Amino acid sequence: MNVYDSARMADILSPLGYSLTSTPDQADMAILNTCHIREKASEKTFSELGRLRNTRRKKEAAGGGDMLIAVAGCVAQAEGAEIIKRAPYVSMVFGPQSYHKLPEMLAEVSRGSGKVLDTDFPVEPKFDFLPADAIDKNLSAFLTVQEGCDKFCAFCVVPYTRGAEFSRSTPEIIDEAKRMIDAGTREITLLGQNVNAYHGLDGDGTSRNLTDLIYKLSEIAGLERLRYMTSHPLEMTEDLCQAHRDVDVLMPYLHLPVQAGSDKILEAMNRRHTGDQYRGIIEKLRSYRPDLALSGDFIVGFPGETEQDFEDTMQLIRDVKYSQAYSFKYSPRPGTPAAALEGQMVPEDVKTERLARLQALLNEQQIEFNRSFEGKTMPVLLERAGKREGQLIGRSPYMQSVYVQSPPHRIGRIAEVTIDEGNANSLRGILKSSSTENAA
Ligand code: 5AD
Ligand code: SF4
């Protein structure tokens, strides 16, 4: 979502004469869009800010003029005034819900009225204030449909930094999707911190859920592929599971984090389901869509996690079989309930060792998944040129990167590719010659 937000900031600033630079040393303004989800991500803010200050000094010394430095995103939201105190060379600090006010904030800074700090959760949603052409125009593009979260998992800062759940209206989303498709987008990923909790209003005032939205979007001519992330298991309703069978454009890939496999830890995390309930949801999804590829998020070393609890997570991974996954050591976040469980913290070396075991298992599953496509043919959306001469990189229905040899004019097409090699992080294949010309 930070990628989506950063691009929208660039769109908002474009009428004021700003455009993106390829390196920070050319910039008249640098906006650091930050993440607060884990301590490591958060710490990066201050080291990156130090680097930006040096870049600014060099630029000024070389006669390149001033550089305004701003901090956006969830670290800005959580640590607002502290940032200005620790890094007084920063001019603007604003949270993820107020970047639509960038032009006003800039005007305030240029009037010389001091630093701008905006970490409010405004009543009016920022989406109402974005310019009409502020859309993702990539071949495979993002569309934010929902933001914030009311789930309050015990480890997570999102409900505090992104705020309460908010869903954009259905017509607004359909309209944005249509504009994206007109601009060349063929694959849309619907974004939300809790995307399957989507409940936006339709034009006539009825409330629509994610399944309704998926059906409506699937009717738009020109939309070839649809995905959504990130989902919570509790919101995988029957109708949403069925949509994976019935909606052609909905891709057979789902990111459905479980975080842990032990019922005791799941309860302590306030996830509000058990390991078996999660297994049941996966079983149901696969009964509707047998080839569904699954991805997840895992946290190791949550306070109180024993070796047996960890083994329960490993067993759940063995049972589900993931095509891809993200895994992290538990990181205490200020203000979250889990951070108060001081007496139960798992030692760092235990976390490191458990994470290594967990990642080894996930990697094994990922390679096995990728290898299972060797000799098979699948439709690949050719997205961009690769590093090698004559190489294109595309995306499979299951989210794998696929490398093929092909002339560049095929970028933007969905081509049939026969896979000859499945590697740890990608597939390699050859274009089926008969399919490439009719896939315009
Ligand atoms: N420590 C470690 N990982 C975390 N995540 C969220 N909060 C924490 C934390 N405090 C992970 C979860 C979530 C993903 C986006 O980041 O796995 O799904
Ligand atoms: Fe955080 Fe996701 Fe839990 Fe919401 S559902 S609190 S975003 S981990």
Side-chain angles (χ1 to χ4, degrees):
M1 195 174 280
N2 272 10
V3 173
Y4 179 91
D5 286 346
S6 298
R8 299 298 74 76
M9 289 181 213
D11 290 336
I12 291 163
L13 291 169
S14 152
L16 304 184
Y18 286 94
S19 60
L20 288 171
T21 65
S22 45
T23 56
D25 56 0
Q26 302 163 346
D28 298 321
M29 167 163 47
I31 304 177
L32 198 60
N33 195 9
T34 60
C35 176
H36 201 240
I37 193 90
R38 287 172 295 275
E39 201 177 355
K40 236 186 190 170
S42 182
E43 272 169 7
K44 276 192 202 157
T45 303
F46 290 99
S47 51
E48 283 295 329
L49 274 177
R51 222 164 291 155
L52 275 176
R53 181 167 63 163
N54 286 339
T55 309
R56 179 169 81 172
R57 273 201 200 119
K58 277 189 207 141
K59 183 179 178 243
E60 281 174 3
D66 195 17
M67 180 199 282
L68 188 151
I69 299 179
V71 182
C74 291
V75 178
Q77 186 65 41
E79 296 183 20
E82 180 66 20
I83 296 176
I84 291 178
K85 215 163 97 194
R86 270 177 75 178
Y89 47 90
V90 168
S91 305
M92 299 193 292
V93 176
F94 52 94
Q97 305 309 346
S98 38
Y99 63 72
H100 58 291
K101 291 190 256 169
L102 259 168
E104 290 155 61
M105 293 190 248
L106 261 176
E108 211 177 315
V109 170
S110 65
R111 277 198 304 268
S113 39
K115 313 268 178 205
V116 172
L117 173 67
D118 192 334
T119 50
D120 291 345
F121 287 115
V123 220
E124 81 284 356
K126 63 178 175 255
F127 299 100
D128 296 351
F129 295 85
L130 300 184
D133 62 347
I135 53 167
D136 190 345
K137 302 177 190 76
N138 289 316
L139 270 172
S140 174
F142 294 129
L143 200 176
T144 297
V145 302
Q146 178 279 338
E147 272 194 66
C149 183
D150 294 342
K151 291 278 184 294
F152 291 92
C153 297
F155 51 82
C156 186
V157 287
V158 166
Y160 313 97
T161 53
R162 284 269 171 182
E165 242 175 46
F166 164 79
S167 295
R168 297 177 70 187
S169 78
T170 308
E172 194 183 337
I173 295 165
I174 305 287
D175 184 55
E176 183 162 332
K178 283 185 178 156
R179 282 185 282 129
M180 291 162 76
I181 293 161
D182 286 346
T185 292
R186 307 196 70 176
E187 172 175 290
I188 292 180
T189 300
L190 307 176
L191 292 183
Q193 270 83 35
N194 218 329
V195 72
N196 58 347
Y198 174 83
H199 57 277
L201 291 182
D202 210 337
D204 60 3
T206 16
S207 177
R208 302 286 180 196
N209 64 18
L210 186 66
T211 315
D212 300 329
L213 185 63
I214 286 171
Y215 272 94
K216 278 178 181 281
L217 287 165
S218 71
E219 285 163 14
I220 305 177
L223 179 66
E224 307 264 358
R225 293 177 161 198
L226 188 58
R227 306 178 189 275
Y228 58 95
M229 73 174 185
T230 290
S231 297
H232 191 288
L234 283 187
E235 242 96 33
M236 284 315 300
T237 52
E238 187 69 31
D239 58 344
L240 183 55
C241 294
Q242 271 182 28
H244 281 271
R245 176 193 65 193
D246 298 334
V247 179
D248 285 349
V249 293
L250 195 57
M251 289 292 100
Y253 167 89
L254 180 65
H255 182 63
L256 192 64
V258 66
Q259 315 294 354
S262 141
D263 290 347
K264 180 191 96 188
I265 296 296
L266 284 168
E267 194 180 343
M269 284 178 163
N270 192 30
R271 293 288 294 179
R272 292 182 277 164
H273 62 77
T274 63
D276 279 349
Q277 280 165 341
Y278 181 83
R279 284 178 179 87
I281 295 162
I282 302 298
E283 212 171 292
K284 185 160 66 179
L285 276 160
R286 283 186 168 145
S287 75
Y288 290 127
R289 183 78 210 214
D291 65 334
L292 187 77
L294 278 154
S295 151
D297 290 346
F298 296 93
I299 297 178
V300 301
F302 185 82
E305 185 189 75
T306 63
E307 182 58 30
Q308 182 55 52
D309 294 324
F310 174 69
E311 179 48 41
D312 290 349
T313 302
M314 295 287 275
Q315 191 52 47
L316 185 138
I317 295 173
R318 286 183 209 109
D319 293 343
V320 171
K321 290 200 173 64
Y322 290 88
S323 68
Q324 181 195 323
Y326 306 88
S327 46
F328 318 97
K329 285 190 230 176
Y330 168 71
S331 158
R333 308 306 295 125
T336 59
L341 303 171
E342 272 161 31
Q344 299 176 53
M345 291 297 165
V346 175
E348 195 58 29
D349 56 336
V350 177
K351 283 199 252 183
T352 306
E353 189 269 334
R354 284 182 190 164
L355 186 65
R357 270 193 281 158
L358 183 121
Q359 290 184 338
L361 175 60
L362 289 167
N363 285 342
E364 233 172 73
Q365 294 192 341
Q366 187 168 328
I367 292 177
E368 193 182 319
F369 180 75
N370 287 345
R371 286 210 180 122
S372 73
F373 290 92
E374 289 179 357
K376 292 187 183 151
T377 300
M378 57 157 86
V380 173
L381 173 58
L382 300 173
E383 282 182 43
R384 59 198 161 94
K387 281 202 185 111
R388 295 216 194 122
E389 183 73 27
Q391 188 183 55
L392 296 187
I393 306 177
R395 185 76 65 190
S396 81
Y398 310 98
M399 273 305 269
Q400 297 136 305
S401 291
V402 185
Y403 290 77
V404 288
Q405 290 301 118
S406 166
H409 72 265
R410 291 207 173 95
I411 289 179
R413 297 186 187 191
I414 295 178
E416 290 294 319
V417 174
T418 304
I419 304 303
D420 49 26
E421 208 179 299
N423 299 311
N425 296 309
S426 62
L427 304 177
R428 212 165 279 281
I430 42 174
L431 286 181
K432 256 181 85 176
S433 50
S434 59
S435 71
T436 52
E437 296 314 322
N438 61 20

